[in-house]
């Protein structure tokens, strides 16, 4: 068997797996609901947001304190560096499929339409002025 080859489950294994799943949903429905709502993409996206905020906080610390305290400036730089690595790692986890899921959710919420209408208003305003 080659590495990474997928072997389908037998009917008996599928039946056992369905029984375990049913039992899981019956015994702890709240936990089962919580697990089913969380995805790798949502988790990685949230971590990427926190990493971006950490990067901005590190930049603020660096800019605010570098002239007065070299140690605080270096600490700000290290926070920025760590946040950049964390951001990169989480964006890689999201991958192309995750980015498609994120863009679809943005479209579903109507944010794309809001930006589109703002762009149209700006275009119309500049056409009138020009």
């Amino acid at each position: 068997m080659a590495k990474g080859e997928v072997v389908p489950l037998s009917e008996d294994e599928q039946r056992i797996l369905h029984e375990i799943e049913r039992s899981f949903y019956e015994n702890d429905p709240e936990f089962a609901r919580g697990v089913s709502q969380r995805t790798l993409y949502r988790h990685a996206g949230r971590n990427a947001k926190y990493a971006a905020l950490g990067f901005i906080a590190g930049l603020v610390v660096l800019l605010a304190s570098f002239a007065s305290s070299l140690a605080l400036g270096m600490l700000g730089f290290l926070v920025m560096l760590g946040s950049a690595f964390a951001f990169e790692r989480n964006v890689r986890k999201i991958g192309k499929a995750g980015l498609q899921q994120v863009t679809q959710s943005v479209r579903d919420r109507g944010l794309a339409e809001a930006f589109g209408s703002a762009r149209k208003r700006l275009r119309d305003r500049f056409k009138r002025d020009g």
Side-chain angles (χ1 to χ4, degrees):
M1 179 182 323
K3 182 179 179 183
E5 187 175 331
V6 177
V7 179
L9 296 175
S10 69
E11 289 182 25
D12 190 42
E13 291 169 331
Q14 287 179 357
R15 182 185 53 77
I16 292 170
L17 185 61
H18 287 298
E19 288 177 12
I20 292 171
E21 184 179 5
R22 184 180 45 79
S23 173
F24 173 65
Y25 280 105
E26 288 174 359
N27 292 333
D28 200 352
E30 185 177 323
F31 180 71
R33 187 174 0 96
V35 169
S36 66
Q37 291 175 351
R38 294 186 185 103
T39 65
L40 173 66
Y41 305 122
R42 188 175 291 173
H43 180 72
R46 183 176 50 245
N47 286 345
K49 287 180 207 173
Y50 291 147
L53 290 174
F55 185 86
I56 293 170
L59 180 64
V60 168
V61 169
L62 174 70
L63 293 176
S65 65
F66 189 70
S68 61
S69 172
L70 184 60
L72 279 176
M74 289 300 292
L75 178 67
F77 174 76
L78 291 175
V79 168
M80 287 174 55
L81 185 64
S83 296
F85 283 137
F87 183 81
E88 186 269 339
R89 183 182 65 224
N90 284 295
V91 168
R92 281 185 186 265
K93 283 181 185 176
I94 292 173
K96 186 176 181 179
L99 289 177
Q100 289 173 348
Q101 181 183 4
V102 168
T103 55
Q104 183 61 40
S105 69
V106 167
R107 287 183 191 128
D108 291 345
R109 284 185 279 173
L111 291 177
E113 293 173 6
F115 286 127
S117 65
R119 184 176 54 206
K120 184 179 181 303
R121 285 193 311 264
L122 284 173
R123 189 180 309 131
D124 292 343
R125 183 176 295 161
F126 282 116
K127 282 183 182 178
R128 283 185 294 181
D129 292 342

